[in-house]
């Protein structure tokens, strides 16, 4: 099978890889780019563990063809931090005990970032809707919702 050249922006830096036809974005990010922050959960777009932002919009990377992101900007949880400094959402998750096993956390963070980027002061209902496509089997969701609201309430947003 012939490989296709693919170029996109990954967490602010240009990336060029060769992908097989039919490769999903999750596999390209993990196997070719080396970003393991998006998690493989269900592989069918039902759990949200693989959520990334494509040009600012939350997308399930396991059901997105890698070739479809040519020239676009992809943001993952690994790109939230700045060196050793955590993103304010990451800090809020930590301070509000919003991560137990942590498997859903990268997808939850990216869904939350997309929400706060478009709605800086969301309501509780806004938060619940924003993370509704992300399954967490550990926290019961309350700590996650509280963390997102805390980040928004303290003006803890940054690009």
């Amino acid at each position: 099978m012939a490989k296709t050249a693919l170029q996109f922006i990954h967490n602010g830096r240009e990336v060029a890889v060769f992908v097989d036809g039919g490769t999903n974005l999750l596999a390209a990010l993990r196997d070719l780019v080396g970003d393991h922050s998006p998690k493989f959960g269900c592989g069918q777009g039902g759990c949200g563990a693989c959520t990334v932002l494509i040009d600012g919009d939350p997308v399930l990377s396991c059901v997105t063809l890698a070739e479809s992101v040519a020239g676009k900007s992809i943001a993952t949880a690994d790109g939230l931090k700045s060196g050793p400094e955590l993103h304010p959402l990451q800090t809020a998750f930590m301070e509000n005990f919003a991560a137990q096993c942590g498997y859903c956390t990268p997808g939850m963070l990216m869904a939350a970032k997309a929400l706060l980027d478009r709605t800086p002061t969301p309501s509780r209902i806004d938060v619940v809707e924003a993370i509704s496509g992300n399954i967490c089997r550990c926290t019961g969701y309350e700590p996650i919702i509280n963390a997102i609201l805390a980040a928004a309430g303290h003006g803890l947003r940054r690009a």
Side-chain angles (χ1 to χ4, degrees), residues 8 11 27 38 73 82 88 92-93:
F8 58 94
N11 293 330
S73 178
S82 177
F93 267 58

Side-chain angles (χ1 to χ4, degrees), residues 69-86:
V69 303
K72 296 184 179 182
S73 178
I74 311 304
T76 69
D78 190 50
L80 289 177
K81 66 188 182 332
S82 177
E85 182 182 331
L86 293 178

Side-chain angles (χ1 to χ4, degrees), residues 107-158:
M108 290 285 190
L109 285 167
M110 298 316 292
K113 182 170 185 332
L115 169 66
L116 295 182
D117 285 349
R118 71 176 178 270
T119 308
T121 54
S123 68
R124 180 180 172 79
I125 292 170
D126 293 333
V127 172
V128 169
E129 279 184 20
I131 65 169
S132 66
N134 297 70
I135 294 174
C136 176
R137 291 183 170 89
C138 299
T139 67
Y141 297 96
E142 284 303 314
I144 295 168
I145 294 166
N146 292 338
I148 297 167
L149 289 170
H154 291 103
L156 295 176
R157 289 188 337 102
R158 80 156 207 240

